[in-house]
Amino acid sequence: MLKNQLKNMAKEYNHIEEVSCMACEPSSWGGLWTEEKLDAFEKYVNAYLTIMNVSRDRYNWKLIYFDGFAGSGSRNEKKKEKDSVLLQDFFKDSILQKEELNLYKGAAERVLSIPQRGFDYYYFVDKDPESSLKLHELLSRFENEKTLVYRNSDANKQIEMLAGAMQKDKKLASLVLLDPFGMQVDWSSIEMLKGTRTDLWILIPTGVIVNRLLDRKGELTHIEKLKSFFGKDEDFLRDYFYTISQEQTFFGEIEKIKKVEKPIQKIAELYIKKLKDIFKYVTPEPMVLYNSRNTPIFHFACASNSSVAVKIANEIISKKQKR
Protein backbone atom coordinates (compact mmCIF):
# COMPACT_ATOMS: atom_id res chain seq x y z
CA MET A 1 0.00 0.00 0.00
CA LEU A 2 2.80 2.41 0.92
CA LYS A 3 4.60 1.61 -2.33
CA ASN A 4 1.48 2.49 -4.34
CA GLN A 5 1.12 5.74 -2.40
CA LEU A 6 4.68 6.70 -3.22
CA LYS A 7 4.21 5.88 -6.88
CA ASN A 8 1.09 8.02 -7.02
CA MET A 9 2.93 10.86 -5.33
CA ALA A 10 5.72 10.54 -7.88
CA LYS A 11 3.19 10.79 -10.74
CA GLU A 12 1.90 13.99 -9.24
CA TYR A 13 5.41 15.43 -9.01
CA ASN A 14 4.94 17.58 -12.09
CA HIS A 15 2.49 19.60 -10.02
CA ILE A 16 4.67 19.52 -6.89
CA GLU A 17 7.65 20.83 -8.83
CA GLU A 18 5.85 24.07 -9.56
CA VAL A 19 5.45 24.82 -5.85
CA SER A 20 8.27 27.23 -5.14
CA CYS A 21 9.61 28.44 -1.82
CA MET A 22 7.86 31.79 -1.30
CA ALA A 23 10.57 32.94 1.09
CA CYS A 24 13.31 32.36 -1.46
CA GLU A 25 14.38 34.67 -4.21
CA PRO A 26 13.47 33.81 -7.81
CA SER A 27 16.29 32.60 -10.00
CA SER A 28 16.43 31.74 -13.69
CA TRP A 29 17.91 28.44 -14.74
CA GLY A 30 20.48 30.15 -16.91
CA GLY A 31 22.19 31.76 -13.93
CA LEU A 32 25.35 30.82 -12.11
CA TRP A 33 26.04 27.17 -11.31
CA THR A 34 25.43 27.76 -7.61
CA GLU A 35 21.86 28.83 -8.28
CA GLU A 36 21.30 25.92 -10.64
CA LYS A 37 22.41 23.45 -7.99
CA LEU A 38 20.31 25.01 -5.22
CA ASP A 39 17.23 25.41 -7.41
CA ALA A 40 17.28 21.70 -8.30
CA PHE A 41 17.94 20.62 -4.73
CA GLU A 42 15.15 22.79 -3.33
CA LYS A 43 12.66 21.21 -5.72
CA TYR A 44 13.79 17.77 -4.59
CA VAL A 45 13.45 18.64 -0.89
CA ASN A 46 9.90 19.88 -1.54
CA ALA A 47 8.99 16.58 -3.21
CA TYR A 48 10.78 14.53 -0.54
CA LEU A 49 8.86 16.17 2.30
CA THR A 50 5.55 15.93 0.44
CA ILE A 51 6.02 12.17 0.08
CA MET A 52 7.48 11.47 3.53
CA ASN A 53 4.83 13.52 5.31
CA VAL A 54 2.19 11.06 4.03
CA SER A 55 3.60 8.20 6.12
CA ARG A 56 6.02 9.51 8.76
CA ASP A 57 3.55 9.47 11.64
CA ARG A 58 2.05 6.13 10.66
CA TYR A 59 5.44 4.43 10.74
CA ASN A 60 6.97 6.61 13.45
CA TRP A 61 9.79 7.78 11.21
CA LYS A 62 12.11 10.57 12.32
CA LEU A 63 13.40 12.71 9.45
CA ILE A 64 16.90 14.15 9.50
CA TYR A 65 18.32 16.80 7.21
CA PHE A 66 22.13 16.69 7.11
CA ASP A 67 24.24 19.35 5.37
CA GLY A 68 27.89 18.33 5.52
CA PHE A 69 29.31 21.61 4.20
CA ALA A 70 26.86 24.22 5.40
CA GLY A 71 29.27 27.18 5.37
CA SER A 72 28.12 30.49 6.77
CA GLY A 73 25.04 30.66 4.56
CA SER A 74 26.24 34.01 3.26
CA ARG A 75 26.01 34.85 -0.40
CA ASN A 76 29.24 36.82 -0.02
CA GLU A 77 31.17 34.11 1.76
CA LYS A 78 34.75 33.97 0.53
CA LYS A 79 36.50 30.63 0.47
CA LYS A 80 40.06 30.79 1.68
CA GLU A 81 42.62 29.76 -0.90
CA LYS A 82 44.20 27.36 1.57
CA ASP A 83 41.13 25.16 1.10
CA SER A 84 42.76 23.92 -2.09
CA VAL A 85 46.28 24.13 -3.40
CA LEU A 86 44.78 24.36 -6.86
CA LEU A 87 42.58 27.44 -6.47
CA GLN A 88 45.25 29.78 -7.78
CA ASP A 89 45.48 27.63 -10.91
CA PHE A 90 41.72 27.78 -11.38
CA PHE A 91 41.73 31.57 -11.30
CA LYS A 92 44.84 31.82 -13.48
CA ASP A 93 43.39 29.50 -16.11
CA SER A 94 39.94 31.09 -15.92
CA ILE A 95 38.28 27.84 -14.88
CA LEU A 96 36.50 29.78 -12.16
CA GLN A 97 35.85 33.47 -11.94
CA LYS A 98 36.34 35.10 -8.52
CA GLU A 99 32.73 36.25 -8.44
CA GLU A 100 31.57 32.66 -9.01
CA LEU A 101 33.56 31.42 -6.06
CA ASN A 102 32.29 34.20 -3.82
CA LEU A 103 28.69 33.24 -4.65
CA TYR A 104 29.25 29.67 -3.48
CA LYS A 105 26.94 28.97 -0.57
CA GLY A 106 24.97 26.25 1.15
CA ALA A 107 21.27 25.42 1.05
CA ALA A 108 20.41 25.90 4.74
CA GLU A 109 18.15 28.94 4.49
CA ARG A 110 16.29 27.58 1.49
CA VAL A 111 15.55 24.24 3.14
CA LEU A 112 14.37 25.84 6.38
CA SER A 113 12.08 28.22 4.46
CA ILE A 114 10.13 25.51 2.62
CA PRO A 115 6.44 26.14 3.51
CA GLN A 116 5.39 22.68 4.66
CA ARG A 117 6.05 20.36 7.59
CA GLY A 118 9.80 19.95 7.74
CA PHE A 119 12.40 17.62 9.20
CA ASP A 120 12.53 16.56 12.84
CA TYR A 121 16.21 17.49 13.03
CA TYR A 122 18.45 19.73 10.94
CA TYR A 123 22.19 19.10 11.17
CA PHE A 124 24.55 21.77 9.83
CA VAL A 125 28.20 20.76 9.69
CA ASP A 126 31.19 22.91 8.82
CA LYS A 127 34.83 22.58 9.78
CA ASP A 128 35.41 26.33 9.97
CA PRO A 129 34.38 27.77 13.39
CA GLU A 130 33.79 31.25 11.98
CA SER A 131 31.44 29.94 9.27
CA SER A 132 29.51 27.86 11.80
CA LEU A 133 29.04 30.87 14.06
CA LYS A 134 27.81 33.06 11.20
CA LEU A 135 25.39 30.36 10.07
CA HIS A 136 24.05 30.03 13.62
CA GLU A 137 23.38 33.77 13.69
CA LEU A 138 21.76 33.73 10.24
CA LEU A 139 19.37 30.91 11.10
CA SER A 140 18.51 32.06 14.62
CA ARG A 141 15.03 33.15 13.55
CA PHE A 142 14.12 29.50 12.83
CA GLU A 143 15.14 28.14 16.25
CA ASN A 144 11.76 28.54 17.94
CA GLU A 145 10.02 26.28 15.43
CA LYS A 146 12.82 23.97 14.21
CA THR A 147 15.36 21.73 15.93
CA LEU A 148 18.71 22.94 14.59
CA VAL A 149 21.97 21.21 15.48
CA TYR A 150 25.35 22.72 14.58
CA ARG A 151 28.53 20.68 14.37
CA ASN A 152 31.86 22.46 14.01
CA SER A 153 33.64 19.34 12.79
CA ASP A 154 34.99 17.35 9.85
CA ALA A 155 32.19 16.18 7.56
CA ASN A 156 33.58 12.65 7.25
CA LYS A 157 33.46 12.14 11.00
CA GLN A 158 29.89 13.44 11.19
CA ILE A 159 28.76 11.26 8.27
CA GLU A 160 30.10 8.21 10.09
CA MET A 161 28.27 9.24 13.27
CA LEU A 162 25.03 9.73 11.34
CA ALA A 163 25.40 6.36 9.63
CA GLY A 164 26.07 4.67 12.96
CA ALA A 165 22.91 6.13 14.48
CA MET A 166 20.84 5.08 11.46
CA GLN A 167 22.22 1.55 11.56
CA LYS A 168 21.06 1.25 15.17
CA ASP A 169 17.68 2.94 14.75
CA LYS A 170 15.82 1.84 11.62
CA LYS A 171 13.16 4.49 12.22
CA LEU A 172 15.58 7.21 11.16
CA ALA A 173 15.47 8.52 7.60
CA SER A 174 17.89 11.14 6.31
CA LEU A 175 18.30 13.47 3.39
CA VAL A 176 22.02 14.19 3.08
CA LEU A 177 23.54 17.04 1.09
CA LEU A 178 27.28 16.92 0.48
CA ASP A 179 28.43 19.81 -1.68
CA PRO A 180 32.08 20.49 -0.88
CA PHE A 181 34.04 22.78 -3.14
CA GLY A 182 36.83 20.19 -3.33
CA MET A 183 37.60 16.56 -2.53
CA GLN A 184 36.98 16.61 1.22
CA VAL A 185 34.60 13.63 1.21
CA ASP A 186 36.36 10.28 1.65
CA TRP A 187 34.83 7.29 -0.06
CA SER A 188 35.03 5.32 3.18
CA SER A 189 32.48 7.75 4.68
CA ILE A 190 30.04 7.24 1.80
CA GLU A 191 30.33 3.48 2.31
CA MET A 192 29.08 3.87 5.88
CA LEU A 193 25.65 4.91 4.54
CA LYS A 194 25.05 1.52 2.91
CA GLY A 195 21.84 -0.13 4.04
CA THR A 196 20.39 3.01 5.64
CA ARG A 197 17.24 4.92 4.68
CA THR A 198 19.28 7.74 3.15
CA ASP A 199 18.72 9.94 0.13
CA LEU A 200 22.04 11.47 -0.88
CA TRP A 201 22.76 14.44 -3.11
CA ILE A 202 26.46 14.90 -3.72
CA LEU A 203 28.44 17.47 -5.68
CA ILE A 204 31.31 15.78 -7.51
CA PRO A 205 34.20 18.16 -8.38
CA THR A 206 34.85 16.46 -11.71
CA GLY A 207 36.21 19.36 -13.71
CA VAL A 208 37.32 21.62 -10.88
CA ILE A 209 39.84 19.57 -8.93
CA VAL A 210 39.78 15.86 -9.77
CA ASN A 211 40.62 16.40 -13.42
CA ARG A 212 43.55 18.61 -12.42
CA LEU A 213 44.96 15.99 -10.08
CA LEU A 214 44.86 13.53 -12.97
CA ASP A 215 47.71 15.34 -14.72
CA ARG A 216 48.49 14.71 -18.39
CA LYS A 217 51.84 13.07 -17.71
CA GLY A 218 50.41 10.62 -15.21
CA GLU A 219 52.71 11.72 -12.39
CA LEU A 220 49.78 11.68 -9.91
CA THR A 221 51.57 13.68 -7.24
CA HIS A 222 48.32 13.74 -5.23
CA ILE A 223 47.64 10.02 -5.51
CA GLU A 224 46.69 9.59 -1.85
CA LYS A 225 43.90 12.14 -2.21
CA LEU A 226 42.67 10.43 -5.38
CA LYS A 227 42.71 7.04 -3.65
CA SER A 228 40.67 8.26 -0.67
CA PHE A 229 38.23 10.10 -2.94
CA PHE A 230 37.50 7.18 -5.26
CA GLY A 231 38.15 4.32 -2.86
CA LYS A 232 40.38 2.73 -5.49
CA ASP A 233 44.07 1.85 -5.53
CA GLU A 234 46.71 3.48 -7.71
CA ASP A 235 46.90 0.63 -10.24
CA PHE A 236 43.17 0.84 -10.91
CA LEU A 237 43.24 4.62 -11.33
CA ARG A 238 46.17 4.46 -13.73
CA ASP A 239 44.48 1.78 -15.84
CA TYR A 240 41.19 3.66 -15.86
CA PHE A 241 42.44 7.13 -16.69
CA TYR A 242 45.59 6.44 -18.75
CA THR A 243 46.79 4.34 -21.65
CA ILE A 244 50.38 3.18 -22.03
CA SER A 245 51.95 2.49 -25.41
CA GLN A 246 55.44 1.81 -26.70
CA GLU A 247 56.88 4.27 -29.20
CA GLN A 248 59.95 3.69 -31.32
CA THR A 249 62.37 6.62 -31.45
CA PHE A 250 65.85 7.24 -32.77
CA PHE A 251 67.19 6.41 -29.31
CA GLY A 252 65.16 3.24 -28.97
CA GLU A 253 61.76 2.29 -27.66
CA ILE A 254 60.14 4.52 -25.04
CA GLU A 255 56.97 4.24 -22.98
CA LYS A 256 54.32 6.82 -23.77
CA ILE A 257 51.57 7.65 -21.24
CA LYS A 258 48.40 9.29 -22.51
CA LYS A 259 45.42 10.54 -20.52
CA VAL A 260 42.04 9.24 -21.66
CA GLU A 261 39.80 11.37 -23.84
CA LYS A 262 36.87 13.16 -22.16
CA PRO A 263 38.38 12.69 -18.68
CA ILE A 264 35.70 14.77 -16.91
CA GLN A 265 33.01 12.46 -18.24
CA LYS A 266 35.07 9.42 -17.21
CA ILE A 267 35.45 10.81 -13.68
CA ALA A 268 31.69 11.22 -13.37
CA GLU A 269 31.02 7.74 -14.76
CA LEU A 270 33.41 6.12 -12.28
CA TYR A 271 31.90 7.93 -9.31
CA ILE A 272 28.36 7.02 -10.37
CA LYS A 273 29.44 3.40 -10.72
CA LYS A 274 30.91 3.49 -7.23
CA LEU A 275 27.69 4.97 -5.80
CA LYS A 276 25.79 2.03 -7.26
CA ASP A 277 27.81 -0.26 -5.00
CA ILE A 278 26.30 1.54 -1.99
CA PHE A 279 22.80 2.52 -3.12
CA LYS A 280 20.23 0.57 -5.12
CA TYR A 281 19.38 3.51 -7.35
CA VAL A 282 21.56 6.34 -8.68
CA THR A 283 20.91 9.04 -11.26
CA PRO A 284 22.48 7.58 -14.43
CA GLU A 285 23.11 11.04 -15.85
CA PRO A 286 23.85 13.53 -13.05
CA MET A 287 23.31 17.24 -13.47
CA VAL A 288 26.27 18.92 -15.17
CA LEU A 289 27.13 22.37 -13.82
CA TYR A 290 29.12 24.78 -15.96
CA ASN A 291 31.14 27.87 -15.19
CA SER A 292 30.72 31.20 -16.99
CA ARG A 293 32.92 29.94 -19.84
CA ASN A 294 30.67 26.92 -20.39
CA THR A 295 33.24 24.50 -19.02
CA PRO A 296 31.87 21.58 -16.94
CA ILE A 297 33.12 21.97 -13.37
CA PHE A 298 30.80 19.79 -11.26
CA HIS A 299 28.39 16.88 -11.55
CA PHE A 300 25.46 16.84 -9.10
CA ALA A 301 24.12 13.34 -8.43
CA CYS A 302 21.37 11.71 -6.37
CA ALA A 303 21.54 8.23 -4.81
CA SER A 304 18.91 6.37 -2.79
CA ASN A 305 17.52 2.97 -1.93
CA SER A 306 14.15 4.20 -3.19
CA SER A 307 13.36 3.98 -6.89
CA VAL A 308 10.76 6.74 -6.49
CA ALA A 309 13.38 9.11 -5.05
CA VAL A 310 15.73 8.72 -7.99
CA LYS A 311 12.84 8.88 -10.46
CA ILE A 312 11.98 12.31 -9.09
CA ALA A 313 15.64 13.37 -9.16
CA ASN A 314 15.92 12.25 -12.79
CA GLU A 315 12.85 14.28 -13.73
CA ILE A 316 14.27 17.40 -12.10
CA ILE A 317 17.63 16.98 -13.81
CA SER A 318 16.25 16.18 -17.26
CA LYS A 319 13.80 19.09 -17.24
CA LYS A 320 16.35 21.60 -16.07
CA GLN A 321 19.12 20.59 -18.42
CA LYS A 322 16.84 20.82 -21.43
CA ARG A 323 16.25 24.50 -20.76
Side-chain angles (χ1 to χ4, degrees):
M1 182 177 179
L2 174 60
K3 187 174 182 180
N4 290 333
Q5 286 178 332
L6 295 180
K7 285 184 177 179
N8 290 334
M9 294 298 290
K11 289 179 181 179
E12 296 171 3
Y13 177 71
N14 287 340
H15 171 70
I16 296 171
E17 183 186 19
E18 301 304 322
V19 180
S20 62
C21 171
M22 293 182 291
C24 298
E25 64 194 14
S27 62
S28 62
W29 185 251
L32 293 170
W33 58 269
T34 50
E35 294 299 330
E36 297 174 11
K37 175 198 70 173
L38 291 172
D39 189 39
F41 183 67
E42 182 186 349
K43 285 179 170 59
Y44 183 85
V45 177
N46 255 309
Y48 177 91
L49 288 173
T50 300
I51 292 174
M52 296 300 281
N53 284 339
V54 173
S55 304
R56 66 195 297 180
D57 292 331
R58 182 185 307 166
Y59 296 99
N60 197 29
W61 290 341
K62 293 296 182 183
L63 306 187
I64 297 173
Y65 175 74
F66 180 97
D67 186 340
F69 298 87
S72 69
S74 171
R75 183 164 298 278
N76 295 315
E77 178 181 5
K78 295 184 179 180
K79 291 288 179 181
K80 298 176 182 178
E81 293 181 357
K82 68 179 181 180
D83 288 347
S84 170
V85 296
L86 299 177
L87 287 186
Q88 285 284 9
D89 290 337
F90 298 149
F91 295 141
K92 180 176 62 180
D93 296 344
S94 299
I95 291 178
L96 287 174
Q97 301 299 306
K98 293 250 183 182
E99 60 270 21
E100 291 178 311
L101 189 58
N102 290 342
L103 281 171
Y104 184 78
K105 74 182 188 71
E109 196 168 8
R110 284 193 179 215
V111 171
L112 286 167
S113 298
I114 289 176
Q116 63 171 305
R117 184 182 177 187
F119 296 84
D120 294 287
Y121 303 96
Y122 296 81
Y123 281 82
F124 300 110
V125 180
D126 201 275
K127 198 172 184 179
D128 179 41
E130 184 179 350
S131 292
S132 293
L133 180 60
K134 288 181 179 179
L135 183 66
H136 197 166
E137 294 172 351
L138 178 69
L139 303 181
S140 60
R141 69 183 188 275
F142 296 102
E143 292 179 350
N144 290 334
E145 56 188 64
K146 311 279 188 182
T147 301
L148 311 184
V149 182
Y150 300 91
R151 290 284 186 266
N152 178 214
S153 177
D154 177 72
N156 292 291
K157 179 180 178 181
Q158 293 299 315
I159 294 168
E160 292 173 10
M161 291 177 66
L162 172 67
M166 296 186 70
Q167 295 287 359
K168 292 178 181 179
D169 187 350
K170 300 302 181 181
K171 295 293 185 180
L172 295 179
S174 69
L175 173 55
V176 175
L177 172 64
L178 299 177
D179 64 340
F181 183 76
M183 298 169 66
Q184 294 95 325
V185 179
D186 295 333
W187 184 255
S188 58
S189 299
I190 301 295
E191 286 181 314
M192 295 287 291
L193 295 171
K194 188 170 186 176
T196 63
R197 189 180 284 111
T198 297
D199 285 15
L200 169 69
W201 277 85
I202 185 166
L203 193 68
I204 312 165
T206 49
V208 183
I209 294 182
V210 182
N211 189 43
R212 282 304 179 94
L213 296 191
L214 295 166
D215 57 286
R216 292 184 179 277
K217 296 182 179 179
E219 295 178 354
L220 300 184
T221 56
H222 297 276
I223 186 58
E224 292 304 317
K225 173 56 69 176
L226 288 165
K227 287 164 59 177
S228 66
F229 180 77
F230 284 111
K232 290 290 188 180
D233 60 29
E234 182 174 352
D235 288 341
F236 176 91
L237 295 174
R238 288 189 179 278
D239 290 343
Y240 188 86
F241 290 109
Y242 298 91
T243 59
I244 300 176
S245 61
Q246 303 298 320
E247 187 174 287
Q248 192 66 39
T249 70
F250 181 78
F251 299 101
E253 194 174 66
I254 62 171
E255 187 176 81
K256 187 175 182 179
I257 299 176
K258 184 180 179 181
K259 190 174 177 179
V260 294
E261 295 183 4
K262 299 182 179 180
I264 295 176
Q265 179 178 327
K266 291 278 286 183
I267 293 166
E269 289 173 354
L270 176 57
Y271 207 88
I272 293 300
K273 184 177 180 181
K274 291 282 294 178
L275 284 173
K276 289 179 179 178
D277 293 335
I278 309 300
F279 297 92
K280 292 180 181 178
Y281 306 97
V282 182
T283 46
E285 297 182 9
M287 178 180 296
V288 185
L289 302 175
Y290 298 85
N291 67 2
S292 58
R293 294 176 179 268
N294 205 35
T295 300
I297 53 176
F298 291 104
H299 283 70
F300 197 32
C302 176
S304 175
N305 290 315
S306 165
S307 60
V308 174
V310 173
K311 180 179 183 294
I312 291 172
N314 285 335
E315 289 177 358
I316 293 173
I317 291 173
S318 62
K319 286 183 179 181
K320 294 303 182 183
Q321 299 223 295
K322 285 179 181 177
R323 295 183 183 180

